[in-house]
PDB file of all heavy atoms in Angstrom:
ATOM      1  N   TYR Y   1      31.934  -4.313   2.403  1.00 59.00           N
ATOM      2  CA  TYR Y   1      30.979  -3.734   1.668  1.00 59.00           C
ATOM      3  C   TYR Y   1      30.273  -2.594   2.344  1.00 59.00           C
ATOM      4  O   TYR Y   1      29.247  -2.057   1.929  1.00 59.00           O
ATOM      5  CB  TYR Y   1      29.999  -4.737   1.170  1.00 59.00           C
ATOM      6  CG  TYR Y   1      30.433  -5.817   0.220  1.00 59.00           C
ATOM      7  CD1 TYR Y   1      29.577  -6.877  -0.010  1.00 59.00           C
ATOM      8  CD2 TYR Y   1      31.683  -5.755  -0.305  1.00 59.00           C
ATOM      9  CE1 TYR Y   1      29.960  -7.930  -0.883  1.00 59.00           C
ATOM     10  CE2 TYR Y   1      32.065  -6.800  -1.138  1.00 59.00           C
ATOM     11  CZ  TYR Y   1      31.297  -7.865  -1.355  1.00 59.00           C
ATOM     12  OH  TYR Y   1      31.730  -8.840  -2.310  1.00 59.00           O
ATOM     13  N   GLY Y   2      30.759  -2.206   3.499  1.00 60.00           N
ATOM     14  CA  GLY Y   2      30.150  -1.176   4.350  1.00 60.00           C
ATOM     15  C   GLY Y   2      29.823   0.163   3.630  1.00 60.00           C
ATOM     16  O   GLY Y   2      28.861   0.797   3.976  1.00 60.00           O
ATOM     17  N   SER Y   3      30.803   0.544   2.827  1.00 63.00           N
ATOM     18  CA  SER Y   3      30.638   1.902   2.074  1.00 63.00           C
ATOM     19  C   SER Y   3      29.371   1.886   1.317  1.00 63.00           C
ATOM     20  O   SER Y   3      28.668   2.936   1.241  1.00 63.00           O
ATOM     21  CB  SER Y   3      31.796   2.261   1.262  1.00 63.00           C
ATOM     22  OG  SER Y   3      32.011   1.258   0.384  1.00 63.00           O
ATOM     23  N   MET Y   4      29.102   0.653   0.695  1.00 71.00           N
ATOM     24  CA  MET Y   4      27.813   0.650  -0.213  1.00 71.00           C
ATOM     25  C   MET Y   4      26.576   0.707   0.698  1.00 71.00           C
ATOM     26  O   MET Y   4      25.661   1.410   0.295  1.00 71.00           O
ATOM     27  CB  MET Y   4      27.815  -0.631  -0.953  1.00 71.00           C
ATOM     28  CG  MET Y   4      28.880  -0.772  -2.006  1.00 71.00           C
ATOM     29  SD  MET Y   4      28.644  -2.269  -3.028  1.00 71.00           S
ATOM     30  CE  MET Y   4      29.100  -3.462  -1.764  1.00 71.00           C
ATOM     31  N   VAL Y   5      26.552   0.131   1.799  1.00 80.00           N
ATOM     32  CA  VAL Y   5      25.455   0.190   2.716  1.00 80.00           C
ATOM     33  C   VAL Y   5      25.152   1.550   3.146  1.00 80.00           C
ATOM     34  O   VAL Y   5      23.989   2.040   3.285  1.00 80.00           O
ATOM     35  CB  VAL Y   5      25.600  -0.734   3.942  1.00 80.00           C
ATOM     36  CG1 VAL Y   5      24.513  -0.611   4.902  1.00 80.00           C
ATOM     37  CG2 VAL Y   5      25.776  -2.231   3.440  1.00 80.00           C
ATOM     38  N   LEU Y   6      26.148   2.327   3.505  1.00 81.00           N
ATOM     39  CA  LEU Y   6      25.998   3.710   3.919  1.00 81.00           C
ATOM     40  C   LEU Y   6      25.437   4.582   2.855  1.00 81.00           C
ATOM     41  O   LEU Y   6      24.351   5.192   3.061  1.00 81.00           O
ATOM     42  CB  LEU Y   6      27.418   4.312   4.291  1.00 81.00           C
ATOM     43  CG  LEU Y   6      27.416   5.835   4.610  1.00 81.00           C
ATOM     44  CD1 LEU Y   6      26.416   6.137   5.730  1.00 81.00           C
ATOM     45  CD2 LEU Y   6      28.816   6.291   4.839  1.00 81.00           C
ATOM     46  N   ILE Y   7      25.931   4.438   1.629  1.00 84.00           N
ATOM     47  CA  ILE Y   7      25.394   5.295   0.485  1.00 84.00           C
ATOM     48  C   ILE Y   7      23.953   4.914   0.237  1.00 84.00           C
ATOM     49  O   ILE Y   7      23.119   5.685  -0.019  1.00 84.00           O
ATOM     50  CB  ILE Y   7      26.245   5.122  -0.724  1.00 84.00           C
ATOM     51  CG1 ILE Y   7      27.682   5.767  -0.354  1.00 84.00           C
ATOM     52  CG2 ILE Y   7      25.638   5.893  -1.818  1.00 84.00           C
ATOM     53  CD1 ILE Y   7      28.738   5.528  -1.415  1.00 84.00           C
ATOM     54  N   ARG Y   8      23.631   3.519   0.240  1.00 88.00           N
ATOM     55  CA  ARG Y   8      22.229   3.120  -0.100  1.00 88.00           C
ATOM     56  C   ARG Y   8      21.316   3.662   1.098  1.00 88.00           C
ATOM     57  O   ARG Y   8      20.253   4.052   0.768  1.00 88.00           O
ATOM     58  CB  ARG Y   8      22.182   1.574  -0.118  1.00 88.00           C
ATOM     59  CG  ARG Y   8      22.798   1.025  -1.304  1.00 88.00           C
ATOM     60  CD  ARG Y   8      23.047  -0.551  -1.204  1.00 88.00           C
ATOM     61  NE  ARG Y   8      23.664  -1.056  -2.342  1.00 88.00           N
ATOM     62  CZ  ARG Y   8      24.248  -2.225  -2.389  1.00 88.00           C
ATOM     63  NH1 ARG Y   8      24.155  -3.098  -1.301  1.00 88.00           N
ATOM     64  NH2 ARG Y   8      24.907  -2.664  -3.406  1.00 88.00           N
ATOM     65  N   SER Y   9      21.763   3.713   2.343  1.00 86.00           N
ATOM     66  CA  SER Y   9      21.026   4.243   3.330  1.00 86.00           C
ATOM     67  C   SER Y   9      20.690   5.776   3.168  1.00 86.00           C
ATOM     68  O   SER Y   9      19.544   6.243   3.389  1.00 86.00           O
ATOM     69  CB  SER Y   9      21.710   4.117   4.726  1.00 86.00           C
ATOM     70  OG  SER Y   9      21.843   2.732   5.022  1.00 86.00           O
ATOM     71  N   LEU Y  10      21.664   6.443   2.615  1.00 88.00           N
ATOM     72  CA  LEU Y  10      21.524   7.878   2.375  1.00 88.00           C
ATOM     73  C   LEU Y  10      20.524   8.127   1.146  1.00 88.00           C
ATOM     74  O   LEU Y  10      19.824   9.208   1.112  1.00 88.00           O
ATOM     75  CB  LEU Y  10      22.854   8.587   2.131  1.00 88.00           C
ATOM     76  CG  LEU Y  10      23.803   8.622   3.283  1.00 88.00           C
ATOM     77  CD1 LEU Y  10      25.174   9.109   2.753  1.00 88.00           C
ATOM     78  CD2 LEU Y  10      23.189   9.457   4.430  1.00 88.00           C
ATOM     79  N   ILE Y  11      20.553   7.139   0.247  1.00 91.00           N
ATOM     80  CA  ILE Y  11      19.648   7.391  -0.974  1.00 91.00           C
ATOM     81  C   ILE Y  11      18.222   7.267  -0.503  1.00 91.00           C
ATOM     82  O   ILE Y  11      17.368   7.899  -1.164  1.00 91.00           O
ATOM     83  CB  ILE Y  11      19.992   6.188  -2.051  1.00 91.00           C
ATOM     84  CG1 ILE Y  11      21.370   6.529  -2.698  1.00 91.00           C
ATOM     85  CG2 ILE Y  11      18.831   6.200  -2.999  1.00 91.00           C
ATOM     86  CD1 ILE Y  11      21.758   5.345  -3.538  1.00 91.00           C
ATOM     87  N   VAL Y  12      17.848   6.478   0.483  1.00 92.00           N
ATOM     88  CA  VAL Y  12      16.480   6.417   0.965  1.00 92.00           C
ATOM     89  C   VAL Y  12      15.993   7.759   1.314  1.00 92.00           C
ATOM     90  O   VAL Y  12      14.902   8.230   0.721  1.00 92.00           O
ATOM     91  CB  VAL Y  12      16.373   5.400   2.114  1.00 92.00           C
ATOM     92  CG1 VAL Y  12      14.899   5.374   2.694  1.00 92.00           C
ATOM     93  CG2 VAL Y  12      16.802   4.069   1.742  1.00 92.00           C
ATOM     94  N   GLY Y  13      16.688   8.463   2.144  1.00 92.00           N
ATOM     95  CA  GLY Y  13      16.228   9.841   2.516  1.00 92.00           C
ATOM     96  C   GLY Y  13      16.352  10.788   1.326  1.00 92.00           C
ATOM     97  O   GLY Y  13      15.528  11.759   1.117  1.00 92.00           O
ATOM     98  N   GLY Y  14      17.348  10.578   0.427  1.00 93.00           N
ATOM     99  CA  GLY Y  14      17.448  11.348  -0.740  1.00 93.00           C
ATOM    100  C   GLY Y  14      16.290  11.224  -1.695  1.00 93.00           C
ATOM    101  O   GLY Y  14      15.934  12.195  -2.221  1.00 93.00           O
ATOM    102  N   MET Y  15      15.672  10.088  -1.759  1.00 95.00           N
ATOM    103  CA  MET Y  15      14.445   9.980  -2.594  1.00 95.00           C
ATOM    104  C   MET Y  15      13.300  10.698  -1.930  1.00 95.00           C
ATOM    105  O   MET Y  15      12.365  11.220  -2.539  1.00 95.00           O
ATOM    106  CB  MET Y  15      14.062   8.478  -2.715  1.00 95.00           C
ATOM    107  CG  MET Y  15      15.101   7.763  -3.578  1.00 95.00           C
ATOM    108  SD  MET Y  15      15.245   8.386  -5.319  1.00 95.00           S
ATOM    109  CE  MET Y  15      16.633   9.485  -5.079  1.00 95.00           C
ATOM    110  N   GLY Y  16      13.262  10.815  -0.559  1.00 96.00           N
ATOM    111  CA  GLY Y  16      12.238  11.604   0.121  1.00 96.00           C
ATOM    112  C   GLY Y  16      12.446  13.070  -0.248  1.00 96.00           C
ATOM    113  O   GLY Y  16      11.491  13.864  -0.546  1.00 96.00           O
ATOM    114  N   HIS Y  17      13.796  13.556  -0.199  1.00 96.00           N
ATOM    115  CA  HIS Y  17      13.969  14.948  -0.570  1.00 96.00           C
ATOM    116  C   HIS Y  17      13.650  15.162  -2.077  1.00 96.00           C
ATOM    117  O   HIS Y  17      13.227  16.216  -2.439  1.00 96.00           O
ATOM    118  CB  HIS Y  17      15.491  15.200  -0.297  1.00 96.00           C
ATOM    119  CG  HIS Y  17      15.846  16.704  -0.488  1.00 96.00           C
ATOM    120  ND1 HIS Y  17      15.317  17.580   0.384  1.00 96.00           N
ATOM    121  CD2 HIS Y  17      16.637  17.300  -1.366  1.00 96.00           C
ATOM    122  CE1 HIS Y  17      15.814  18.781   0.081  1.00 96.00           C
ATOM    123  NE2 HIS Y  17      16.566  18.633  -1.036  1.00 96.00           N
ATOM    124  N   CYS Y  18      13.914  14.205  -2.858  1.00 96.00           N
ATOM    125  CA  CYS Y  18      13.647  14.391  -4.315  1.00 96.00           C
ATOM    126  C   CYS Y  18      12.035  14.547  -4.514  1.00 96.00           C
ATOM    127  O   CYS Y  18      11.604  15.416  -5.261  1.00 96.00           O
ATOM    128  CB  CYS Y  18      14.074  13.086  -5.106  1.00 96.00           C
ATOM    129  SG  CYS Y  18      13.344  12.750  -6.703  1.00 96.00           S
ATOM    130  N   LEU Y  19      11.272  13.746  -3.897  1.00 97.00           N
ATOM    131  CA  LEU Y  19       9.861  13.865  -3.968  1.00 97.00           C
ATOM    132  C   LEU Y  19       9.293  15.116  -3.237  1.00 97.00           C
ATOM    133  O   LEU Y  19       8.455  15.756  -3.797  1.00 97.00           O
ATOM    134  CB  LEU Y  19       9.108  12.683  -3.341  1.00 97.00           C
ATOM    135  CG  LEU Y  19       8.945  11.469  -4.186  1.00 97.00           C
ATOM    136  CD1 LEU Y  19       8.239  10.335  -3.461  1.00 97.00           C
ATOM    137  CD2 LEU Y  19       8.229  11.762  -5.529  1.00 97.00           C
ATOM    138  N   ALA Y  20      10.090  15.543  -2.292  1.00 97.00           N
ATOM    139  CA  ALA Y  20       9.681  16.856  -1.591  1.00 97.00           C
ATOM    140  C   ALA Y  20       9.872  18.007  -2.504  1.00 97.00           C
ATOM    141  O   ALA Y  20       9.004  18.819  -2.666  1.00 97.00           O
ATOM    142  CB  ALA Y  20      10.590  17.049  -0.344  1.00 97.00           C
ATOM    143  N   LYS Y  21      10.945  17.975  -3.397  1.00 97.00           N
ATOM    144  CA  LYS Y  21      11.186  18.976  -4.324  1.00 97.00           C
ATOM    145  C   LYS Y  21      10.156  18.935  -5.340  1.00 97.00           C
ATOM    146  O   LYS Y  21       9.483  19.988  -5.744  1.00 97.00           O
ATOM    147  CB  LYS Y  21      12.536  18.813  -4.962  1.00 97.00           C
ATOM    148  CG  LYS Y  21      13.786  19.445  -4.159  1.00 97.00           C
ATOM    149  CD  LYS Y  21      14.975  19.316  -4.987  1.00 97.00           C
ATOM    150  CE  LYS Y  21      16.130  20.104  -4.430  1.00 97.00           C
ATOM    151  NZ  LYS Y  21      17.281  20.068  -5.254  1.00 97.00           N
ATOM    152  N   GLY Y  22       9.918  17.816  -5.963  1.00 97.00           N
ATOM    153  CA  GLY Y  22       8.908  17.721  -7.080  1.00 97.00           C
ATOM    154  C   GLY Y  22       7.570  18.025  -6.616  1.00 97.00           C
ATOM    155  O   GLY Y  22       6.832  18.756  -7.316  1.00 97.00           O
ATOM    156  N   SER Y  23       7.062  17.634  -5.429  1.00 97.00           N
ATOM    157  CA  SER Y  23       5.765  17.929  -4.966  1.00 97.00           C
ATOM    158  C   SER Y  23       5.555  19.373  -4.588  1.00 97.00           C
ATOM    159  O   SER Y  23       4.521  20.006  -4.586  1.00 97.00           O
ATOM    160  CB  SER Y  23       5.344  17.023  -3.849  1.00 97.00           C
ATOM    161  OG  SER Y  23       6.271  17.099  -2.770  1.00 97.00           O
ATOM    162  N   THR Y  24       6.671  19.996  -4.179  1.00 97.00           N
ATOM    163  CA  THR Y  24       6.627  21.444  -3.820  1.00 97.00           C
ATOM    164  C   THR Y  24       6.437  22.245  -5.051  1.00 97.00           C
ATOM    165  O   THR Y  24       5.640  23.144  -5.095  1.00 97.00           O
ATOM    166  CB  THR Y  24       7.973  21.890  -3.086  1.00 97.00           C
ATOM    167  OG1 THR Y  24       8.182  21.220  -1.899  1.00 97.00           O
ATOM    168  CG2 THR Y  24       7.957  23.388  -2.879  1.00 97.00           C
ATOM    169  N   ILE Y  25       7.153  21.869  -6.123  1.00 97.00           N
ATOM    170  CA  ILE Y  25       6.996  22.592  -7.450  1.00 97.00           C
ATOM    171  C   ILE Y  25       5.539  22.463  -7.856  1.00 97.00           C
ATOM    172  O   ILE Y  25       4.844  23.492  -8.198  1.00 97.00           O
ATOM    173  CB  ILE Y  25       8.015  22.087  -8.372  1.00 97.00           C
ATOM    174  CG1 ILE Y  25       9.438  22.427  -8.010  1.00 97.00           C
ATOM    175  CG2 ILE Y  25       7.650  22.838  -9.772  1.00 97.00           C
ATOM    176  CD1 ILE Y  25      10.484  21.723  -8.837  1.00 97.00           C
ATOM    177  N   ALA Y  26       5.009  21.240  -7.920  1.00 97.00           N
ATOM    178  CA  ALA Y  26       3.801  20.980  -8.630  1.00 97.00           C
ATOM    179  C   ALA Y  26       2.632  21.581  -7.729  1.00 97.00           C
ATOM    180  O   ALA Y  26       1.637  21.995  -8.336  1.00 97.00           O
ATOM    181  CB  ALA Y  26       3.601  19.459  -8.852  1.00 97.00           C
ATOM    182  N   THR Y  27       2.820  21.374  -6.436  1.00 97.00           N
ATOM    183  CA  THR Y  27       1.668  21.921  -5.602  1.00 97.00           C
ATOM    184  C   THR Y  27       1.589  23.393  -5.560  1.00 97.00           C
ATOM    185  O   THR Y  27       0.541  23.992  -5.721  1.00 97.00           O
ATOM    186  CB  THR Y  27       1.867  21.398  -4.140  1.00 97.00           C
ATOM    187  OG1 THR Y  27       1.994  19.922  -4.189  1.00 97.00           O
ATOM    188  CG2 THR Y  27       0.747  21.821  -3.236  1.00 97.00           C
ATOM    189  N   ARG Y  28       2.755  24.084  -5.404  1.00 97.00           N
ATOM    190  CA  ARG Y  28       2.692  25.581  -5.480  1.00 97.00           C
ATOM    191  C   ARG Y  28       2.175  26.082  -6.787  1.00 97.00           C
ATOM    192  O   ARG Y  28       1.426  26.991  -6.918  1.00 97.00           O
ATOM    193  CB  ARG Y  28       4.087  26.082  -5.288  1.00 97.00           C
ATOM    194  CG  ARG Y  28       4.579  26.032  -3.796  1.00 97.00           C
ATOM    195  CD  ARG Y  28       5.979  26.539  -3.706  1.00 97.00           C
ATOM    196  NE  ARG Y  28       6.448  26.549  -2.271  1.00 97.00           N
ATOM    197  CZ  ARG Y  28       7.665  26.840  -1.922  1.00 97.00           C
ATOM    198  NH1 ARG Y  28       8.611  27.041  -2.791  1.00 97.00           N
ATOM    199  NH2 ARG Y  28       8.057  26.775  -0.628  1.00 97.00           N
ATOM    200  N   TYR Y  29       2.648  25.423  -7.967  1.00 96.00           N
ATOM    201  CA  TYR Y  29       2.177  25.871  -9.150  1.00 96.00           C
ATOM    202  C   TYR Y  29       0.638  25.614  -9.341  1.00 96.00           C
ATOM    203  O   TYR Y  29      -0.111  26.327  -9.888  1.00 96.00           O
ATOM    204  CB  TYR Y  29       2.914  25.171 -10.320  1.00 96.00           C
ATOM    205  CG  TYR Y  29       2.486  25.527 -11.691  1.00 96.00           C
ATOM    206  CD1 TYR Y  29       2.664  26.933 -12.217  1.00 96.00           C
ATOM    207  CD2 TYR Y  29       1.872  24.694 -12.627  1.00 96.00           C
ATOM    208  CE1 TYR Y  29       2.232  27.283 -13.393  1.00 96.00           C
ATOM    209  CE2 TYR Y  29       1.465  24.992 -13.840  1.00 96.00           C
ATOM    210  CZ  TYR Y  29       1.714  26.289 -14.280  1.00 96.00           C
ATOM    211  OH  TYR Y  29       1.225  26.711 -15.537  1.00 96.00           O
ATOM    212  N   SER Y  30       0.179  24.469  -8.911  1.00 96.00           N
ATOM    213  CA  SER Y  30      -1.219  24.196  -8.942  1.00 96.00           C
ATOM    214  C   SER Y  30      -2.093  25.083  -8.143  1.00 96.00           C
ATOM    215  O   SER Y  30      -3.352  25.203  -8.442  1.00 96.00           O
ATOM    216  CB  SER Y  30      -1.519  22.617  -8.439  1.00 96.00           C
ATOM    217  OG  SER Y  30      -0.818  21.751  -9.214  1.00 96.00           O
ATOM    218  N   ALA Y  31      -1.479  25.799  -7.149  1.00 95.00           N
ATOM    219  CA  ALA Y  31      -2.197  26.822  -6.430  1.00 95.00           C
ATOM    220  C   ALA Y  31      -2.215  28.134  -7.138  1.00 95.00           C
ATOM    221  O   ALA Y  31      -3.147  28.868  -6.980  1.00 95.00           O
ATOM    222  CB  ALA Y  31      -1.614  26.999  -5.018  1.00 95.00           C
ATOM    223  N   VAL Y  32      -1.261  28.373  -8.030  1.00 94.00           N
ATOM    224  CA  VAL Y  32      -1.234  29.595  -8.927  1.00 94.00           C
ATOM    225  C   VAL Y  32      -1.990  29.449 -10.153  1.00 94.00           C
ATOM    226  O   VAL Y  32      -2.660  30.444 -10.554  1.00 94.00           O
ATOM    227  CB  VAL Y  32       0.291  29.912  -9.100  1.00 94.00           C
ATOM    228  CG1 VAL Y  32       0.405  31.019 -10.157  1.00 94.00           C
ATOM    229  CG2 VAL Y  32       1.052  30.233  -7.889  1.00 94.00           C
ATOM    230  N   ARG Y  33      -1.956  28.286 -10.696  1.00 92.00           N
ATOM    231  CA  ARG Y  33      -2.652  28.069 -12.051  1.00 92.00           C
ATOM    232  C   ARG Y  33      -4.121  27.922 -11.946  1.00 92.00           C
ATOM    233  O   ARG Y  33      -4.652  27.219 -11.069  1.00 92.00           O
ATOM    234  CB  ARG Y  33      -2.088  26.787 -12.711  1.00 92.00           C
ATOM    235  CG  ARG Y  33      -2.738  26.442 -13.936  1.00 92.00           C
ATOM    236  CD  ARG Y  33      -2.265  27.222 -15.142  1.00 92.00           C
ATOM    237  NE  ARG Y  33      -2.847  26.688 -16.368  1.00 92.00           N
ATOM    238  CZ  ARG Y  33      -2.511  27.177 -17.534  1.00 92.00           C
ATOM    239  NH1 ARG Y  33      -1.745  28.279 -17.604  1.00 92.00           N
ATOM    240  NH2 ARG Y  33      -3.009  26.686 -18.711  1.00 92.00           N
ATOM    241  N   HIS Y  34      -4.847  28.755 -12.688  1.00 89.00           N
ATOM    242  CA  HIS Y  34      -6.338  28.679 -12.781  1.00 89.00           C
ATOM    243  C   HIS Y  34      -6.740  28.184 -14.141  1.00 89.00           C
ATOM    244  O   HIS Y  34      -6.056  28.530 -15.141  1.00 89.00           O
ATOM    245  CB  HIS Y  34      -6.973  29.999 -12.584  1.00 89.00           C
ATOM    246  CG  HIS Y  34      -6.734  30.512 -11.125  1.00 89.00           C
ATOM    247  ND1 HIS Y  34      -7.856  30.598 -10.208  1.00 89.00           N
ATOM    248  CD2 HIS Y  34      -5.682  30.917 -10.489  1.00 89.00           C
ATOM    249  CE1 HIS Y  34      -7.438  31.075  -9.053  1.00 89.00           C
ATOM    250  NE2 HIS Y  34      -6.110  31.239  -9.119  1.00 89.00           N
ATOM    251  N   GLN Y  35      -7.744  27.224 -14.255  1.00 84.00           N
ATOM    252  CA  GLN Y  35      -8.085  26.702 -15.489  1.00 84.00           C
ATOM    253  C   GLN Y  35      -9.545  26.214 -15.468  1.00 84.00           C
ATOM    254  O   GLN Y  35      -9.919  25.572 -14.494  1.00 84.00           O
ATOM    255  CB  GLN Y  35      -7.091  25.617 -15.936  1.00 84.00           C
ATOM    256  CG  GLN Y  35      -7.392  25.153 -17.338  1.00 84.00           C
ATOM    257  CD  GLN Y  35      -6.180  24.479 -17.870  1.00 84.00           C
ATOM    258  OE1 GLN Y  35      -5.004  24.632 -17.520  1.00 84.00           O
ATOM    259  NE2 GLN Y  35      -6.401  23.558 -18.903  1.00 84.00           N
ATOM    260  N   SER Y  36     -10.244  26.512 -16.568  1.00 79.00           N
ATOM    261  CA  SER Y  36     -11.585  26.085 -16.817  1.00 79.00           C
ATOM    262  C   SER Y  36     -12.609  26.571 -15.800  1.00 79.00           C
ATOM    263  O   SER Y  36     -12.202  27.253 -14.803  1.00 79.00           O
ATOM    264  CB  SER Y  36     -11.706  24.518 -17.024  1.00 79.00           C
ATOM    265  OG  SER Y  36     -10.785  24.095 -18.079  1.00 79.00           O
ATOM    266  N   GLU Y  37     -13.819  26.187 -15.961  1.00 74.00           N
ATOM    267  CA  GLU Y  37     -14.831  26.513 -15.000  1.00 74.00           C
ATOM    268  C   GLU Y  37     -15.498  25.297 -14.490  1.00 74.00           C
ATOM    269  O   GLU Y  37     -16.016  24.447 -15.251  1.00 74.00           O
ATOM    270  CB  GLU Y  37     -15.952  27.471 -15.607  1.00 74.00           C
ATOM    271  CG  GLU Y  37     -15.507  28.865 -16.005  1.00 74.00           C
ATOM    272  CD  GLU Y  37     -16.624  29.674 -16.527  1.00 74.00           C
ATOM    273  OE1 GLU Y  37     -17.644  29.028 -16.959  1.00 74.00           O
ATOM    274  OE2 GLU Y  37     -16.523  30.884 -16.530  1.00 74.00           O
ATOM    275  N   LEU Y  38     -15.450  25.140 -13.234  1.00 78.00           N
ATOM    276  CA  LEU Y  38     -16.178  23.921 -12.550  1.00 78.00           C
ATOM    277  C   LEU Y  38     -17.724  24.223 -12.608  1.00 78.00           C
ATOM    278  O   LEU Y  38     -18.544  23.338 -12.962  1.00 78.00           O
ATOM    279  CB  LEU Y  38     -15.745  23.797 -11.082  1.00 78.00           C
ATOM    280  CG  LEU Y  38     -14.564  22.996 -10.800  1.00 78.00           C
ATOM    281  CD1 LEU Y  38     -14.179  23.092  -9.340  1.00 78.00           C
ATOM    282  CD2 LEU Y  38     -14.750  21.520 -11.208  1.00 78.00           C
ATOM    283  N   VAL Y  39     -18.023  25.476 -12.370  1.00 79.00           N
ATOM    284  CA  VAL Y  39     -19.448  25.842 -12.595  1.00 79.00           C
ATOM    285  C   VAL Y  39     -19.541  27.014 -13.501  1.00 79.00           C
ATOM    286  O   VAL Y  39     -18.783  27.949 -13.399  1.00 79.00           O
ATOM    287  CB  VAL Y  39     -20.030  26.329 -11.087  1.00 79.00           C
ATOM    288  CG1 VAL Y  39     -21.547  26.724 -11.282  1.00 79.00           C
ATOM    289  CG2 VAL Y  39     -19.837  25.242 -10.095  1.00 79.00           C
TER     290      VAL Y  39
END
């Protein structure tokens, strides 16, 4: 079953990369987007 263990191990870092992509998009856009007035 060693091949499964290897791929599962790679998925862990892959999920970090997945969130890195999503948070990059959302954070950069949130810095560009302006909305409403706080004051």
Side-chain angles (χ1 to χ4, degrees):
Y1 295 173
S3 60
M4 291 185 293
V5 175
L6 171 60
I7 296 172
R8 288 169 187 164
S9 299
L10 294 173
I11 289 173
V12 175
M15 291 301 96
H17 188 66
C18 163
L19 278 180
K21 278 188 171 183
S23 59
T24 296
I25 296 168
T27 302
R28 286 178 178 172
Y29 181 65
S30 296
V32 171
R33 175 76 174 182
H34 291 251
Q35 188 159 332
S36 303
E37 290 183 339
L38 276 173
V39 179

